Amino acid sequence: MSLLQVKEVTHSYGSRSIFNWKDRSKKVLSDISLSIEEGTCLGLLGKSGAGKSTLGKVILGLERPQNGQILFQGHDIYTADNHIRKKIRRNLQVVFQDSYSSVNPRMTAERIIAEPLENYEKLTVAEQKRTIVELLERVGLSEVDLKKYPHQFSGGQLQRINIARAISLKPKLIVLDESVSSLDMVNQTLILELLRELKEDFGLSYFFITHDIKSAYTISDTLGVLEKGELVELYGSKNQFFTSEHPVVKEMRGSILAEHPRYRSVRTREKHTKSI
Amino acid sequence: MLGTEHPNVLQVSDLHVHVKSNNGINTLVQDINITLKRGKILGLVGESGCGKTVTSMSILQLLDRKTKTIEGSIVVKGRELNGLDDKEMRKIRGKDIAFIMQNPMNAFTPVFTIGHQFIETIRSHTQWNKKQATEIAIEAMHHVNLPNPVKLLKYYPFQLSGGMLQRVMIAIAACLHPAVIIADEPTTALDVNNQKIVLRHLDKIRSEYGSAILLISHDLGVISEMADEVAVMQNGKIVEKADVFQLFDEPQHEYTKKLLNARSILHLDEPIIHFA
Ligand SMILES: Nc1ncnc2c1ncn2[C@@H]1O[C@H](COP(=O)(O)OP(=O)(O)OP(=O)(O)O)[C@@H](O)[C@H]1O
Ligand SMILES: Nc1ncnc2c1ncn2[C@@H]1O[C@H](COP(=O)(O)OP(=O)(O)O)[C@@H](O)[C@H]1O
Ligand SMILES: [Mg+2]
Ligand SMILES: [Mg+2]
């Protein structure tokens, strides 16, 4: 049995809102089916507005789809009884793109990481502290960071704290929505490395949502492409992305920017003149 | 307007920013010297947390003066900005210097529609009436590839995807053809196709209206596409500044070399992508 199964999910926004009454027919997701096996990472690529985050929210139980089912370890997350839902919530964590707005600015790193532990584990004060220090070390931080506030961390460090919190309950699946997109390459590489380690050590699975082809390729095992709410490609092996003849995929590949000014394609109209 | 013909539209000299906290005074950035010429693009790169956003916020006088001190001089079109009161700065922001903020969510007020915020910004700096401002907003949204602008104007920020909000912000910043655009990680939420469209549009504003751009990005693809010159920042200081070709071909500083090397780490095991 797959860890997560998305079955024929269709969704459009606005059914409960008077503002978009007329848009009700416009589908944000149409007939999406996919699955994630334990210990693997499914990458989801797609243009801005394609519906990636919406699918993420549907999987997290935050946006009930109009049609279709989300099965987590075989249980429908929207109809399961409270006991099972509580278990699912514990095993299903999320890390968003913006590390700063995901945390309470008035809480220390220790409090931020402690929150899920306090909700689910009844640890003694000493045990909890030890657990938090271990988590910090796991993500490359240390005990000295316990009492720091969010503004005292860089974006990359804070994203590690978000990851520490997400893994604190040893979940089965983490939904990562553009979690490394705003980080520089040095920090991106460190975090992707960390995610890979956690996957190997704890058998974690990821649903890795991104618009960034390189990071998706680095971390994923399987890969899907969402375009205007439709899952146009689903690859059992990520390498297929590079040989696919699908026009959307070809366009994506063709738009990757070369990382050297010699291969510029945007500023070509004027000759580059050397300035002092 | 006074000083319009001055080739240096933005001149930052000996900028230092300190922050007061319980543990005394900390320096966030120091010895920053930046010159932006009309129609030119200066790239600013560096690891997350190195001080890029602090630099841009201090140029715009957006830092909280109760806890932070800004030393040095910031001259835009011949006028000193450092120390100007908020009322004066509000006239300058948007019109003379536009700011594309790193986090699109923070740039909008959740309780007003996109259209309200867009049109108010245009009207506060121009003589245009509501109808004219609306037309300008719609056109500006077309330029950044936003589908169905008329509809989007009626939406609230939370109803747009991350990448859509980022493009709205860019549309707002570009539509008044400011002398200086400070773009702080302007494409982090965008897929490669939209990234290219947005970069082309910024370049068009630059070449047609002479806007100078301070382009902050961790993405070396974006920097190499756009920049004339590049400044490399580490721990609050600019450690190297050079012509973009020179910087990529013959980096001098160890830290610059480290950043450039991180570029290939992500696609080391990725023989299928050909950059050209
Ligand atoms: N709460 C909402 N109410 C109405 N429409 C919404 C809402 N959230 C998202 N949408 C719409 O759904 C579509 C898909 O949005 P979604 O956030 O899933 O895109 P995305 O693929 O994550 O894009 P990005 O890469 O830009 O983040 C967009 O057209 C957006 O305007
Ligand atoms: N309001 C603040 N108070 C104290 N430190 C801050 C504040 N804002 C930013 N910093 C610190 O200044 C440094 C530079 O931050 P920033 O300019 O946001 O980095 P980036 O280069 O990623 O944009 C970081 O170490 C950050 O923690
Ligand atoms: Mg999204
Ligand atoms: Mg920043």
Side-chain angles (χ1 to χ4, degrees):
Chain A
M1 182 176 56
S2 304
L3 177 65
L4 181 94
Q5 272 178 286
V6 174
K7 282 188 155 174
E8 293 159 20
V9 162
T10 294
H11 189 58
S12 45
Y13 283 107
S15 47
R16 281 155 302 169
S17 148
I18 53 162
F19 299 114
N20 339 341
W21 190 250
K22 286 187 225 111
D23 304 338
R24 204 171 163 175
S25 54
K26 205 192 141 265
K27 292 198 179 93
V28 175
L29 296 174
S30 47
D31 199 19
I32 308 283
S33 296
L34 52 80
S35 55
I36 302 178
E37 305 305 319
E38 197 150 352
T40 70
C41 173
L42 169 64
L44 183 70
L45 280 166
K47 289 184 202 166
S48 167
K52 307 181 294 295
S53 299
T54 304
L55 183 55
K57 281 187 255 176
V58 167
I59 288 175
L60 285 163
L62 300 171
E63 182 81 39
R64 190 180 186 137
Q66 279 153 349
N67 285 299
Q69 277 184 310
I70 306 294
L71 303 182
F72 189 82
Q73 296 179 317
H75 302 287
D76 182 327
I77 65 167
Y78 287 97
T79 59
D81 64 40
N82 281 342
H83 172 70
I84 290 183
R85 284 173 83 147
K86 192 162 184 221
K87 245 172 67 185
I88 293 173
R89 264 207 301 280
R90 163 179 194 148
N91 279 315
L92 191 52
Q93 296 289 327
V94 60
V95 179
F96 288 110
Q97 164 165 9
D98 182 43
S99 47
Y100 285 98
S101 51
S102 317
V103 296
N104 182 338
R106 277 182 264 281
M107 288 212 253
T108 60
E110 180 172 16
R111 306 282 345 123
I112 292 168
I113 301 172
E115 232 182 5
L117 287 172
E118 281 165 2
N119 288 339
Y120 282 95
E121 308 255 8
K122 300 276 166 276
L123 299 177
T124 65
V125 176
E127 278 168 348
Q128 178 164 307
K129 172 134 186 208
R130 207 184 55 233
T131 309
I132 293 172
V133 172
E134 271 169 24
L135 284 164
L136 279 175
E137 284 170 355
R138 184 79 226 189
V139 298
L141 297 167
S142 71
E143 193 163 354
V144 301
D145 297 309
L146 278 175
K147 299 289 174 216
K148 289 190 191 163
Y149 288 90
H151 74 266
Q152 293 171 296
F153 291 104
S154 75
Q157 291 168 334
L158 203 57
Q159 203 57 306
R160 287 155 180 273
I161 290 171
N162 279 318
I163 291 172
R165 175 175 61 182
I167 61 172
S168 63
L169 299 171
K170 298 216 171 58
K172 295 273 181 221
L173 178 69
I174 304 183
V175 174
L176 298 135
D177 189 353
E178 305 282 9
S179 314
V180 300
S181 309
S182 54
L183 298 175
D184 60 275
M185 288 308 142
V186 176
N187 277 292
Q188 261 192 38
T189 310
L190 289 172
I191 291 198
L192 292 178
E193 245 344 284
L194 167 68
L195 290 173
R196 179 146 60 191
E197 262 173 49
L198 293 170
K199 190 171 89 161
E200 273 155 25
D201 297 354
F202 302 124
L204 271 179
S205 312
Y206 305 120
F207 183 49
F208 190 83
I209 299 173
T210 185
H211 62 267
D212 182 47
I213 297 165
K214 283 174 223 150
S215 58
Y217 182 77
T218 307
I219 185 81
S220 306
D221 302 296
T222 57
L223 200 55
V225 179
L226 196 66
E227 164 82 358
K228 298 198 176 116
E230 288 182 31
L231 193 65
V232 292
E233 295 274 83
L234 187 59
Y235 309 121
S237 150
K238 61 183 173 182
N239 284 315
Q240 290 166 271
F241 178 83
F242 295 98
T243 49
S244 164
E245 287 295 310
H246 195 288
V248 170
V249 177
K250 279 171 85 174
E251 192 191 4
M252 279 182 167
R253 284 201 308 253
S255 302
I256 300 175
L257 298 181
E259 291 175 292
H260 193 289
R262 200 173 300 123
Y263 308 113
R264 281 183 173 186
S265 61
V266 175
R267 277 188 81 175
T268 47
R269 271 169 290 130
E270 68 194 316
K271 265 262 148 285
H272 176 80
T273 45
K274 277 207 167 183
S275 45
I276 13 100
Chain B
M1 204 175 279
L2 196 81
T4 310
E5 295 313 311
H6 201 282
N8 291 351
V9 279
L10 170 70
Q11 178 99 43
V12 175
S13 320
D14 301 321
L15 177 76
H16 292 252
V17 178
H18 307 285
V19 61
K20 275 177 256 160
S21 73
N22 301 339
N23 339 338
I25 294 179
N26 272 316
T27 305
L28 297 183
V29 298
Q30 51 183 315
D31 292 321
I32 305 293
N33 289 287
I34 290 174
T35 304
L36 260 183
K37 292 197 174 65
R38 200 182 134 77
K40 293 287 178 192
I41 301 180
L42 173 66
L44 180 60
V45 299
E47 253 170 81
S48 86
C50 73
K52 305 180 295 290
T53 299
V54 167
T55 303
S56 52
M57 300 276 278
S58 48
I59 294 173
L60 287 143
Q61 303 282 298
L62 283 171
L63 293 176
D64 176 15
R65 291 203 198 146
K66 283 195 209 85
T67 54
K68 290 179 202 74
T69 46
I70 305 175
E71 283 164 23
S73 155
I74 298 153
V75 176
V76 169
K77 289 165 73 180
R79 184 166 181 204
E80 176 63 52
L81 301 190
N82 197 10
L84 276 192
D85 64 32
D86 205 46
K87 193 161 151 260
E88 286 300 309
M89 272 314 297
R90 246 177 279 158
K91 289 187 212 153
I92 291 170
R93 271 184 232 129
K95 180 102 180 64
D96 293 320
I97 323 183
F99 187 28
I100 302 172
M101 277 209 228
Q102 176 158 17
N103 182 355
M105 254 311 177
N106 290 345
F108 295 91
T109 317
V111 293
F112 294 119
T113 61
I114 296 293
H116 178 91
Q117 300 183 56
F118 203 141
I119 288 157
E120 280 308 301
T121 307
I122 295 176
R123 293 193 64 197
S124 65
H125 293 296
T126 64
Q127 305 296 319
W128 286 313
N129 65 30
K130 204 168 164 190
K131 186 160 171 283
Q132 291 164 319
T134 308
E135 276 162 22
I136 287 166
I138 290 170
E139 198 192 320
M141 286 164 82
H142 271 302
H143 287 314
V144 292
N145 198 35
L146 282 164
N148 221 331
V150 181
K151 192 179 90 186
L152 289 186
L153 286 174
K154 298 192 189 103
Y155 275 23
Y156 288 85
F158 79 91
Q159 294 176 304
L160 269 62
S161 77
M164 290 160 90
L165 265 187
Q166 192 163 45
R167 282 177 285 159
V168 174
M169 187 167 51
I170 292 166
I172 296 177
C175 76
L176 295 173
H177 313 139
V180 179
I181 298 175
I182 297 182
D184 192 357
E185 303 281 4
T187 63
T188 43
L190 298 181
D191 59 277
V192 284
N193 304 58
N194 279 299
Q195 169 164 275
K196 230 174 184 169
I197 291 166
V198 160
L199 293 180
R200 274 209 188 97
H201 180 56
L202 284 176
D203 188 47
K204 188 154 170 266
I205 300 289
R206 178 199 65 77
S207 64
E208 284 177 14
Y209 304 96
S211 303
I213 303 176
L214 177 61
L215 179 63
I216 300 174
S217 181
H218 69 263
D219 185 335
L220 294 170
V222 172
I223 294 292
S224 48
E225 276 291 342
M226 302 291 283
D228 296 291
E229 261 194 311
V230 185
V232 180
M233 192 172 216
Q234 181 189 26
N235 297 333
K237 282 189 216 158
I238 290 177
V239 294
E240 179 166 3
K241 188 154 63 180
D243 169 86
V244 64
F245 282 86
Q246 205 179 328
L247 190 103
F248 276 78
D249 285 333
E250 295 155 47
Q252 300 296 308
H253 199 278
E254 280 312 310
Y255 182 66
T256 312
K257 291 179 193 166
K258 179 181 161 200
L259 283 182
L260 289 175
N261 283 337
R263 192 172 42 149
S264 45
I265 293 174
L266 267 181
H267 32 97
L268 259 185
D269 49 354
E270 196 182 72
I272 316 137
I273 298 185
H274 296 294
F275 293 102

